[in-house]
Protein backbone atom coordinates (compact mmCIF):
# COMPACT_ATOMS: atom_id res chain seq x y z
CA UNK A 1 0.00 0.00 0.00
CA UNK A 2 1.49 3.39 -0.97
CA UNK A 3 2.32 5.75 1.87
CA UNK A 4 0.12 8.88 2.11
CA UNK A 5 1.65 12.11 0.87
CA UNK A 6 3.26 14.30 3.52
CA UNK A 7 2.88 17.91 2.51
CA UNK A 8 5.69 20.39 2.92
CA UNK A 9 4.24 23.90 2.82
CA UNK A 10 5.88 27.22 1.97
CA UNK A 11 4.20 28.77 5.00
CA UNK A 12 4.08 26.89 8.26
CA UNK A 13 1.02 26.66 10.48
CA UNK A 14 0.57 26.83 14.24
CA UNK A 15 -1.31 24.69 16.74
CA UNK A 16 -4.58 26.60 16.24
CA UNK A 17 -5.32 24.83 12.96
CA UNK A 18 -5.70 21.24 11.89
CA UNK A 19 -2.95 19.12 10.32
CA UNK A 20 -2.95 19.70 6.58
CA UNK A 21 -1.98 16.04 6.06
CA UNK A 22 -5.42 15.01 7.32
CA UNK A 23 -6.90 16.40 4.11
CA UNK A 24 -6.70 13.09 2.31
CA UNK A 25 -8.93 10.14 1.50
CA UNK A 26 -10.92 9.36 4.63
CA UNK A 27 -9.93 12.65 6.29
CA UNK A 28 -11.24 16.19 6.58
CA UNK A 29 -13.53 17.86 4.07
CA UNK A 30 -11.99 21.00 2.50
CA UNK A 31 -14.01 24.13 3.31
CA UNK A 32 -14.01 27.66 1.97
CA UNK A 33 -15.52 30.39 4.12
CA UNK A 34 -18.79 31.30 2.47
CA UNK A 35 -19.65 27.74 1.40
CA UNK A 36 -23.32 26.78 1.53
CA UNK A 37 -24.12 23.25 2.72
CA UNK A 38 -27.58 21.76 2.39
CA UNK A 39 -29.51 19.08 4.23
CA UNK A 40 -32.95 17.81 3.23
CA UNK A 41 -34.61 20.65 5.16
CA UNK A 42 -32.09 23.47 5.66
CA UNK A 43 -29.35 25.46 3.97
CA UNK A 44 -26.34 26.58 5.99
CA UNK A 45 -24.02 29.47 5.12
CA UNK A 46 -20.55 28.89 6.64
CA UNK A 47 -19.09 32.15 7.94
CA UNK A 48 -16.20 31.22 10.27
CA UNK A 49 -14.45 28.41 12.06
CA UNK A 50 -15.18 27.39 15.66
CA UNK A 51 -12.70 24.58 16.20
CA UNK A 52 -11.19 21.29 15.11
CA UNK A 53 -10.44 17.90 16.60
CA UNK A 54 -9.02 14.56 15.59
CA UNK A 55 -12.27 13.48 13.97
CA UNK A 56 -13.95 16.69 12.77
CA UNK A 57 -13.82 20.38 12.04
CA UNK A 58 -16.51 22.69 13.48
CA UNK A 59 -17.86 25.77 11.70
CA UNK A 60 -20.06 28.73 12.56
CA UNK A 61 -22.96 28.92 10.13
CA UNK A 62 -26.13 30.89 9.63
CA UNK A 63 -29.31 29.21 8.47
CA UNK A 64 -30.75 30.78 5.33
CA UNK A 65 -34.25 32.15 5.20
CA UNK A 66 -37.06 29.67 4.83
CA UNK A 67 -40.77 29.80 5.42
CA UNK A 68 -40.69 27.76 8.62
CA UNK A 69 -38.19 29.64 10.80
CA UNK A 70 -36.01 32.73 11.15
CA UNK A 71 -32.28 32.60 10.45
CA UNK A 72 -30.14 31.55 13.40
CA UNK A 73 -26.54 30.76 14.25
CA UNK A 74 -25.63 27.08 14.41
CA UNK A 75 -22.48 24.98 14.67
CA UNK A 76 -21.76 22.43 11.92
CA UNK A 77 -19.56 19.53 12.95
CA UNK A 78 -18.14 18.00 9.76
CA UNK A 79 -16.78 14.55 10.61
CA UNK A 80 -13.80 13.03 8.81
CA UNK A 81 -14.87 10.62 6.10
CA UNK A 82 -13.56 7.51 7.88
CA UNK A 83 -15.20 8.43 11.22
CA UNK A 84 -17.93 6.27 12.69
CA UNK A 85 -20.52 8.75 13.99
CA UNK A 86 -23.17 6.06 14.44
CA UNK A 87 -22.38 5.85 18.16
CA UNK A 88 -22.85 9.59 18.62
CA UNK A 89 -26.12 9.50 16.67
CA UNK A 90 -27.29 6.53 18.73
CA UNK A 91 -26.57 8.36 21.99
CA UNK A 92 -28.48 11.42 20.76
CA UNK A 93 -31.43 9.23 19.79
CA UNK A 94 -31.59 7.88 23.35
CA UNK A 95 -31.59 11.31 24.97
CA UNK A 96 -34.91 13.02 25.76
CA UNK A 97 -35.53 16.40 24.17
CA UNK A 98 -36.04 18.75 27.08
CA UNK A 99 -35.45 22.39 27.90
CA UNK A 100 -32.83 23.05 30.52
CA UNK A 101 -30.98 19.77 30.15
CA UNK A 102 -27.21 19.77 30.12
CA UNK A 103 -26.43 17.69 27.04
CA UNK A 104 -26.03 19.30 23.63
CA UNK A 105 -29.06 18.80 21.38
CA UNK A 106 -28.81 17.59 17.78
CA UNK A 107 -30.91 19.70 15.41
CA UNK A 108 -30.09 18.23 12.02
CA UNK A 109 -27.81 15.72 10.33
CA UNK A 110 -26.93 15.02 6.71
CA UNK A 111 -24.23 13.55 4.49
CA UNK A 112 -21.76 15.59 2.49
CA UNK A 113 -19.93 14.05 -0.45
CA UNK A 114 -16.52 15.54 -1.19
CA UNK A 115 -13.10 14.77 -2.69
CA UNK A 116 -11.99 12.89 0.46
CA UNK A 117 -15.09 10.77 0.88
CA UNK A 118 -18.56 11.04 2.37
CA UNK A 119 -18.80 13.02 5.61
CA UNK A 120 -21.55 13.06 8.23
CA UNK A 121 -22.47 16.60 9.26
CA UNK A 122 -24.07 17.21 12.68
CA UNK A 123 -25.85 20.49 13.40
CA UNK A 124 -25.93 21.84 16.97
CA UNK A 125 -26.31 25.01 18.97
CA UNK A 126 -23.21 27.17 19.14
CA UNK A 127 -21.36 26.65 22.43
CA UNK A 128 -18.39 28.46 23.88
CA UNK A 129 -15.45 27.03 25.80
CA UNK A 130 -15.49 27.58 29.54
CA UNK A 131 -11.71 27.94 29.29
CA UNK A 132 -12.35 31.26 27.50
CA UNK A 133 -14.34 32.53 30.50
CA UNK A 134 -12.08 31.89 33.51
CA UNK A 135 -13.33 34.83 35.58
CA UNK A 136 -17.02 34.06 34.96
CA UNK A 137 -16.53 30.34 35.57
CA UNK A 138 -14.68 31.01 38.79
CA UNK A 139 -17.58 32.99 40.26
CA UNK A 140 -19.97 30.13 39.46
CA UNK A 141 -17.62 27.21 40.07
CA UNK A 142 -19.81 25.13 42.34
CA UNK A 143 -22.83 25.36 40.09
CA UNK A 144 -20.79 24.27 37.08
CA UNK A 145 -19.29 21.34 38.95
CA UNK A 146 -22.71 19.97 39.79
CA UNK A 147 -24.09 20.48 36.29
CA UNK A 148 -21.08 18.80 34.71
CA UNK A 149 -21.18 15.95 37.19
CA UNK A 150 -24.88 15.34 36.65
CA UNK A 151 -24.14 14.65 32.99
CA UNK A 152 -21.03 12.52 33.42
CA UNK A 153 -20.17 10.60 30.28
CA UNK A 154 -17.27 8.44 29.13
CA UNK A 155 -13.95 10.18 28.44
CA UNK A 156 -15.06 13.44 30.02
CA UNK A 157 -12.50 16.24 29.75
CA UNK A 158 -12.56 20.05 29.41
CA UNK A 159 -12.89 19.82 25.64
CA UNK A 160 -16.23 18.02 26.06
CA UNK A 161 -17.80 20.80 28.12
CA UNK A 162 -19.38 23.83 26.49
CA UNK A 163 -21.01 27.02 27.73
CA UNK A 164 -24.35 28.07 26.25
CA UNK A 165 -24.47 31.45 24.50
CA UNK A 166 -28.12 32.49 24.94
CA UNK A 167 -27.63 36.11 23.80
CA UNK A 168 -25.75 35.26 20.59
CA UNK A 169 -28.83 35.81 18.39
CA UNK A 170 -28.98 39.42 19.60
CA UNK A 171 -25.78 40.10 17.65
CA UNK A 172 -25.61 40.47 13.90
CA UNK A 173 -23.33 38.52 11.61
CA UNK A 174 -21.69 41.80 10.58
CA UNK A 175 -20.94 42.79 14.19
CA UNK A 176 -19.34 39.44 14.93
CA UNK A 177 -17.21 39.32 11.79
CA UNK A 178 -16.16 42.98 12.14
CA UNK A 179 -15.09 42.38 15.73
CA UNK A 180 -12.71 39.57 14.77
CA UNK A 181 -11.57 41.25 11.56
CA UNK A 182 -10.31 39.51 8.41
CA UNK A 183 -9.46 35.86 9.11
CA UNK A 184 -5.74 35.18 9.59
CA UNK A 185 -5.64 32.60 6.84
CA UNK A 186 -2.60 30.54 5.87
CA UNK A 187 -2.64 29.86 2.11
CA UNK A 188 -2.03 26.23 1.25
CA UNK A 189 0.86 26.11 -1.19
CA UNK A 190 2.68 22.74 -1.11
CA UNK A 191 6.33 22.70 -2.19
CA UNK A 192 5.57 19.64 -4.31
CA UNK A 193 2.47 19.49 -6.53
CA UNK A 194 -0.20 17.48 -4.69
CA UNK A 195 -1.46 14.34 -6.41
CA UNK A 196 -5.06 15.46 -5.78
CA UNK A 197 -5.27 19.27 -5.47
CA UNK A 198 -9.03 19.06 -4.91
CA UNK A 199 -8.43 17.21 -1.60
CA UNK A 200 -6.86 20.31 -0.02
CA UNK A 201 -8.58 23.48 1.18
CA UNK A 202 -7.33 26.74 -0.35
CA UNK A 203 -6.25 27.94 3.11
CA UNK A 204 -6.35 27.09 6.81
CA UNK A 205 -8.04 29.44 9.25
CA UNK A 206 -7.79 29.56 13.07
CA UNK A 207 -11.01 29.42 15.10
CA UNK A 208 -12.75 32.33 16.77
CA UNK A 209 -14.09 32.38 20.34
CA UNK A 210 -17.67 33.60 20.50
CA UNK A 211 -17.62 33.21 24.29
CA UNK A 212 -14.78 35.72 24.44
CA UNK A 213 -16.65 38.02 22.04
CA UNK A 214 -19.78 38.00 24.22
CA UNK A 215 -17.74 38.55 27.37
CA UNK A 216 -16.31 41.70 25.80
CA UNK A 217 -19.39 43.02 24.00
CA UNK A 218 -22.48 41.81 25.86
CA UNK A 219 -23.10 42.88 29.50
CA UNK A 220 -26.26 40.76 29.71
CA UNK A 221 -24.25 37.63 28.92
CA UNK A 222 -21.69 38.49 31.58
CA UNK A 223 -24.40 39.05 34.20
CA UNK A 224 -26.39 35.90 33.43
CA UNK A 225 -25.85 32.51 35.05
CA UNK A 226 -23.70 30.18 32.98
CA UNK A 227 -25.40 27.07 31.63
CA UNK A 228 -23.05 24.26 30.64
CA UNK A 229 -23.65 21.31 28.35
CA UNK A 230 -21.79 18.11 27.62
CA UNK A 231 -20.92 17.90 23.94
CA UNK A 232 -19.03 15.64 21.54
CA UNK A 233 -20.77 12.40 22.46
CA UNK A 234 -18.86 10.20 20.01
CA UNK A 235 -17.07 8.49 22.90
CA UNK A 236 -20.07 8.31 25.22
CA UNK A 237 -21.20 4.85 26.28
CA UNK A 238 -24.77 3.68 26.65
CA UNK A 239 -24.94 1.88 29.99
CA UNK A 240 -26.49 -1.34 28.69
CA UNK A 241 -24.11 -1.74 25.72
CA UNK A 242 -20.48 -2.90 25.49
CA UNK A 243 -18.01 -0.04 25.97
CA UNK A 244 -15.78 1.24 23.18
CA UNK A 245 -11.99 1.67 23.47
CA UNK A 246 -11.07 4.75 25.45
CA UNK A 247 -10.15 7.98 23.65
CA UNK A 248 -9.28 9.79 26.89
CA UNK A 249 -6.62 12.52 26.49
CA UNK A 250 -3.45 11.87 28.45
CA UNK A 251 -4.09 14.89 30.69
CA UNK A 252 -7.16 13.23 32.25
CA UNK A 253 -6.38 9.56 31.62
CA UNK A 254 -6.79 7.20 34.59
CA UNK A 255 -3.63 5.33 35.64
CA UNK A 256 -4.99 1.86 34.86
CA UNK A 257 -5.68 2.92 31.26
CA UNK A 258 -2.38 4.79 30.99
CA UNK A 259 -0.47 1.72 32.19
CA UNK A 260 -1.97 -0.50 29.48
CA UNK A 261 -1.29 2.08 26.80
CA UNK A 262 2.34 2.47 27.85
CA UNK A 263 3.23 -1.17 28.55
CA UNK A 264 1.06 -3.20 26.18
CA UNK A 265 0.13 -0.57 23.56
CA UNK A 266 -3.52 -1.59 23.96
CA UNK A 267 -6.41 0.78 24.46
CA UNK A 268 -8.84 -0.55 27.10
CA UNK A 269 -12.33 0.93 27.41
CA UNK A 270 -13.16 3.63 29.91
CA UNK A 271 -15.01 2.54 33.03
CA UNK A 272 -17.11 4.30 35.64
CA UNK A 273 -14.02 4.32 37.87
CA UNK A 274 -11.82 5.86 35.16
CA UNK A 275 -14.55 8.46 34.61
CA UNK A 276 -14.18 9.50 38.25
CA UNK A 277 -10.45 10.07 37.73
CA UNK A 278 -11.09 12.07 34.54
CA UNK A 279 -13.75 14.13 36.25
CA UNK A 280 -11.41 14.99 39.12
CA UNK A 281 -8.80 16.21 36.61
CA UNK A 282 -11.48 18.28 34.87
CA UNK A 283 -12.70 19.84 38.13
CA UNK A 284 -9.10 20.68 38.99
CA UNK A 285 -8.69 22.52 35.69
CA UNK A 286 -11.92 24.46 36.20
CA UNK A 287 -10.97 25.63 39.67
CA UNK A 288 -7.23 26.22 39.25
CA UNK A 289 -7.27 27.33 35.59
CA UNK A 290 -4.47 24.92 34.79
CA UNK A 291 -4.11 21.23 34.02
CA UNK A 292 -3.34 18.86 36.82
CA UNK A 293 -0.58 17.25 34.70
CA UNK A 294 1.32 19.60 32.39
CA UNK A 295 2.66 18.41 29.02
CA UNK A 296 1.11 15.02 29.65
CA UNK A 297 1.59 12.20 27.18
CA UNK A 298 1.36 8.42 27.39
CA UNK A 299 4.78 7.69 28.88
CA UNK A 300 6.71 6.89 32.06
CA UNK A 301 6.97 10.57 32.99
CA UNK A 302 3.19 10.81 33.41
CA UNK A 303 3.19 7.58 35.42
CA UNK A 304 5.74 9.14 37.75
CA UNK A 305 3.69 12.35 38.11
CA UNK A 306 0.63 10.27 39.02
CA UNK A 307 2.58 8.29 41.61
CA UNK A 308 3.90 11.48 43.22
CA UNK A 309 0.46 13.03 43.41
CA UNK A 310 -1.15 9.89 44.85
CA UNK A 311 1.76 8.94 47.08
CA UNK A 312 2.00 5.34 45.94
CA UNK A 313 3.32 3.09 43.17
CA UNK A 314 1.11 0.16 42.13
CA UNK A 315 2.90 -3.19 42.39
CA UNK A 316 2.14 -3.96 38.74
CA UNK A 317 4.14 -0.90 37.69
CA UNK A 318 7.38 -1.89 39.43
CA UNK A 319 8.80 -4.24 36.75
CA UNK A 320 8.22 -1.63 34.06
CA UNK A 321 9.82 1.40 35.72
CA UNK A 322 13.45 2.44 35.64
CA UNK A 323 15.61 2.42 38.78
CA UNK A 324 15.90 6.22 38.69
CA UNK A 325 12.12 6.46 39.00
CA UNK A 326 11.98 3.96 41.87
CA UNK A 327 14.70 5.80 43.80
CA UNK A 328 12.60 8.97 43.99
CA UNK A 329 10.83 9.30 47.36
CA UNK A 330 7.16 8.59 46.81
CA UNK A 331 5.00 8.31 49.90
CA UNK A 332 1.90 9.67 51.57
CA UNK A 333 4.07 12.43 53.06
CA UNK A 334 5.40 13.56 49.69
CA UNK A 335 1.84 13.52 48.35
CA UNK A 336 0.69 15.67 51.27
CA UNK A 337 3.45 18.17 50.54
CA UNK A 338 2.56 18.25 46.83
CA UNK A 339 -1.12 18.90 47.55
CA UNK A 340 -0.23 21.65 50.02
CA UNK A 341 1.90 23.30 47.36
CA UNK A 342 -0.97 23.16 44.87
CA UNK A 343 -3.69 24.34 47.25
CA UNK A 344 -1.87 27.16 49.04
CA UNK A 345 -2.24 29.72 46.22
CA UNK A 346 -6.03 29.32 46.33
CA UNK A 347 -6.20 30.42 49.95
CA UNK A 348 -4.62 33.75 48.96
CA UNK A 349 -7.20 34.36 46.24
CA UNK A 350 -10.92 33.78 45.91
CA UNK A 351 -11.23 30.51 47.87
CA UNK A 352 -11.16 30.37 51.66
CA UNK A 353 -8.62 28.07 53.30
CA UNK A 354 -11.22 25.67 54.68
CA UNK A 355 -12.99 25.41 51.31
CA UNK A 356 -9.70 24.81 49.49
CA UNK A 357 -8.85 22.06 51.97
CA UNK A 358 -12.26 20.48 51.49
CA UNK A 359 -11.97 20.64 47.72
CA UNK A 360 -8.50 19.10 47.88
CA UNK A 361 -9.85 16.30 50.08
CA UNK A 362 -12.57 15.62 47.50
CA UNK A 363 -10.05 15.38 44.67
CA UNK A 364 -7.80 13.06 46.65
CA UNK A 365 -10.67 10.63 47.21
CA UNK A 366 -11.27 10.57 43.45
CA UNK A 367 -7.60 10.36 42.42
CA UNK A 368 -6.76 6.92 43.76
CA UNK A 369 -4.35 4.63 41.95
CA UNK A 370 -6.56 1.68 42.81
CA UNK A 371 -9.67 2.05 40.65
CA UNK A 372 -11.76 0.07 43.14
CA UNK A 373 -10.92 2.60 45.88
CA UNK A 374 -12.46 5.53 44.02
CA UNK A 375 -15.93 6.65 45.07
CA UNK A 376 -18.99 6.29 42.88
CA UNK A 377 -20.65 9.34 41.34
CA UNK A 378 -23.34 9.22 44.03
CA UNK A 379 -20.73 9.09 46.79
CA UNK A 380 -18.89 12.06 45.30
CA UNK A 381 -22.08 14.10 45.21
CA UNK A 382 -22.53 13.33 48.91
CA UNK A 383 -19.13 14.80 49.72
CA UNK A 384 -19.34 17.86 52.03
CA UNK A 385 -17.85 20.11 49.34
CA UNK A 386 -20.81 19.35 47.04
CA UNK A 387 -23.41 19.21 49.78
CA UNK A 388 -22.46 22.73 50.86
CA UNK A 389 -23.81 23.89 47.51
Amino acid sequence: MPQPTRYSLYWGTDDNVEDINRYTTGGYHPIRLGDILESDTKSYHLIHKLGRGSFSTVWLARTLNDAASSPKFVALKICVADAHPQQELKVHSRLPIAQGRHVLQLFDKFSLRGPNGTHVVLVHDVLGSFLDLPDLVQTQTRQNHILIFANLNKDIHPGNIGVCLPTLEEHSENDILNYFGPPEITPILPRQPPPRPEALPPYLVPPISLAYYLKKKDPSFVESSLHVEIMDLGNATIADEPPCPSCTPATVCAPEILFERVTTKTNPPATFASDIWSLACTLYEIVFRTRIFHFASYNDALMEDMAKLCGEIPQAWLPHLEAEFLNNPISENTADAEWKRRLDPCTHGWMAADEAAEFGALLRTMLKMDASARPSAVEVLRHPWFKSC
Side-chain angles (χ1 to χ4, degrees), residues 1 9 59 100 129 183 185 210 233 248 250 268 328 345 353 363 383:
M1 180 180 295
L9 303 178
W59 302 85
S129 169
I185 62 174
L210 291 177
L233 301 178
T248 313
N328 290 328
L363 293 182
H383 188 276

Side-chain angles (χ1 to χ4, degrees), residues 168-183:
L168 182 61
E169 292 299 334
E170 299 171 14
H171 298 260
S172 71
E173 182 178 324
N174 285 340
D175 287 343
I176 293 172
L177 295 183
N178 286 336
Y179 174 81
F180 289 103

Side-chain angles (χ1 to χ4, degrees), residues 76-358:
L76 266 63
K77 177 180 177 179
I78 305 177
C79 301
V80 297
D82 60 4
H84 301 284
Q86 292 79 11
Q87 176 69 10
E88 184 165 4
L89 293 172
K90 183 188 293 185
V91 171
H92 276 292
S93 71
R94 296 279 291 269
L95 294 171
I97 298 176
Q99 295 296 324
R101 71 178 189 175
H102 301 289
V103 180
L104 185 63
Q105 185 174 338
L106 179 66
F107 294 141
D108 194 7
K109 63 180 185 297
F110 58 96
S111 294
L112 172 65
R113 189 179 299 276
N116 295 326
T118 300
H119 309 259
V120 172
V121 182
L122 307 178
V123 184
H124 301 284
D125 266 334
V126 180
L127 296 181
S129 169
F130 73 87
L131 297 177
D132 293 330
L133 304 168
D135 48 344
L136 300 185
V137 169
Q138 196 171 65
T139 61
Q140 302 180 40
T141 299
R142 291 181 175 178
Q143 177 192 19
N144 278 281
H145 288 169
I146 293 174
L147 298 184
I148 293 166
F149 208 112
N151 295 285
L152 179 63
N153 75 312
K154 297 297 179 189
D155 291 332
I156 192 169
H157 57 84
N160 284 345
I161 304 167
V163 176
C164 294
L165 309 176
T167 63
L168 182 61
E169 292 299 334
E170 299 171 14
H171 298 260
S172 71
E173 182 178 324
N174 285 340
D175 287 343
I176 293 172
L177 295 183
N178 286 336
Y179 174 81
F180 289 103
E184 299 176 0
I185 62 174
T186 300
I188 299 304
L189 181 57
R191 294 178 183 272
Q192 299 295 328
R196 295 191 308 119
E198 70 279 6
L200 300 175
Y203 47 78
L204 295 178
V205 57
I208 58 173
S209 169
L210 291 177
Y212 184 82
Y213 164 79
L214 291 178
K215 184 177 73 170
K216 293 293 185 181
K217 304 294 288 186
D218 190 336
S220 61
F221 172 72
V222 173
E223 295 165 2
S224 63
S225 296
L226 295 181
H227 180 96
V228 299
E229 291 186 347
I230 299 294
M231 58 185 181
D232 194 7
L233 301 178
N235 297 321
T237 299
I238 298 173
D240 57 357
E241 294 186 359
C244 301
S246 170
C247 294
T248 313
T251 51
V252 299
C253 185
E256 63 273 16
I257 294 177
L258 172 69
F259 179 73
E260 294 299 328
R261 288 187 174 182
V262 172
T263 61
T264 68
K265 308 304 180 185
T266 60
N267 193 17
T271 64
F272 287 114
S274 69
D275 283 343
I276 295 297
W277 179 285
S278 298
L279 181 64
C281 297
T282 301
L283 296 181
Y284 183 100
E285 186 166 346
I286 294 173
V287 172
F288 299 140
R289 305 188 189 185
T290 186
R291 291 176 174 175
I292 193 167
F293 300 113
H294 292 284
F295 309 112
S297 59
Y298 304 109
N299 55 28
D300 290 355
L302 180 54
M303 294 169 66
E304 181 176 2
D305 289 340
M306 288 179 173
K308 289 179 178 177
L309 192 65
C310 296
E312 59 177 316
I313 304 175
Q315 288 295 314
W317 291 19
L318 295 177
H320 302 277
L321 299 177
E322 297 180 1
E324 181 181 359
F325 175 94
L326 299 176
N327 290 333
N328 290 328
I330 293 177
S331 66
E332 191 69 24
N333 289 336
T334 57
D336 290 343
E338 176 64 14
W339 277 103
K340 185 178 187 303
R341 182 188 69 80
R342 290 171 180 252
L343 293 173
D344 271 352
C346 297
T347 64
H348 303 298
W350 64 276
M351 186 182 285
D354 58 344
E355 185 178 0
E358 201 165 59

